[in-house]
Amino acid sequence: MLDAVQQVDKANSSQTKSIFNCMKCVKTFPLKSLLMQHIASVHYAEQLLQVYPAQACPFSSCKHSTQNCLLKMEHIALSHQSAVNFLLQKEGHSPLKPCNTDNILPPLSPHSHIFQVSPCQLCPKSPSSPPALAVHYMTVHYHDQVDTWDNSNCQVCGAVFVTGTVASRVRLLQHLALRHTGLLVWLME
């Protein structure tokens, strides 16, 4: 457990904080992997879903399988970046270099080792599971660091949330903690 945390800390300390700008809109992201997910899910979803219409990933030797469109876009953005780069280049944009953070950091999900530490390291609360701990960190300790984001949809993948209520804001924060765990890890640096 400590090894994974040390690996994340080492990876984060060796990198300077950068901002990655979307070349198709005005949005910015703290991690290149989040930018790749955004580009695939928001700007190229229609084209990418044409090559990934079925449950199984169409790329040779890839065993990924899902029917969820958002999961398909996330998979292509992170595992088949060349497909996103092809579409960028087709429109005259420069391709993005591979996501170095994804190569250095361990695979991140709410079940990753970094969230195996209980209780919360910032308060006495002790959530019941690693995903609950990830949601706790985002909704209680790091919510103010994403307040500048548009509350109507996820800036990474385009998932839509109804605006104007506290419940919708909490659902967006839960979504960020569970679906875009790399953002939470970045905020925790």
Side-chain angles (χ1 to χ4, degrees):
M1 174 175 57
L2 194 55
D3 292 335
V5 173
Q6 288 173 338
Q7 186 177 358
V8 169
D9 288 343
K10 181 180 176 186
N12 290 335
S13 66
S14 68
Q15 301 167 8
T16 59
K17 288 217 178 192
S18 300
I19 297 295
F20 298 94
N21 299 309
C22 178
M23 62 280 301
K24 303 225 7 121
C25 69
V26 298
K27 294 191 171 54
T28 60
F29 300 90
L31 298 171
K32 192 182 290 183
S33 61
L34 295 175
L35 171 62
M36 288 296 281
Q37 289 178 50
H38 164 78
I39 291 171
S41 300
V42 174
H43 299 296
Y44 294 125
E46 186 176 325
Q47 295 97 315
L48 292 170
L49 286 173
Q50 288 177 5
V51 298
Y52 193 171
Q55 187 172 344
C57 180
F59 293 91
S60 61
S61 74
C62 182
K63 297 181 194 277
H64 185 262
S65 179
T66 184
Q67 290 183 343
N68 182 298
C69 292
L70 290 177
L71 294 178
K72 287 179 184 182
M73 293 303 95
E74 179 181 275
H75 170 73
I76 290 174
L78 299 179
S79 300
H80 307 294
Q81 294 177 23
S82 60
V84 177
N85 277 331
F86 172 79
L87 293 170
L88 284 169
Q89 289 177 299
K90 189 174 170 185
E91 291 185 352
H93 300 288
S94 297
L96 294 170
K97 293 180 182 175
C99 300
N100 294 330
T101 55
D102 294 330
N103 295 332
I104 294 171
L105 294 174
L108 294 174
S109 79
H111 296 283
S112 293
H113 295 294
I114 192 167
F115 297 114
Q116 297 294 324
V117 178
S118 189
C120 174
Q121 300 300 299
L122 302 174
C123 75
K125 181 144 176 123
S126 185
S128 60
S129 67
L133 181 61
V135 168
H136 168 77
Y137 278 120
M138 183 63 87
T139 58
V140 174
H141 300 295
Y142 296 102
H143 63 90
D144 58 336
Q145 295 186 37
V146 292
D147 276 346
T148 58
W149 286 27
D150 177 357
N151 290 338
S152 65
N153 65 348
C154 175
Q155 300 297 309
V156 178
C157 69
V160 178
F161 297 86
V162 179
T163 59
T165 66
V166 173
S168 64
R169 177 72 179 144
V170 170
R171 280 195 302 279
L172 173 60
L173 291 169
Q174 291 170 339
H175 168 82
L176 291 170
L178 297 173
R179 295 295 313 134
H180 308 295
T181 309
L183 174 63
L184 178 58
V185 171
W186 182 83
L187 291 170
M188 293 171 74
E189 291 179 348

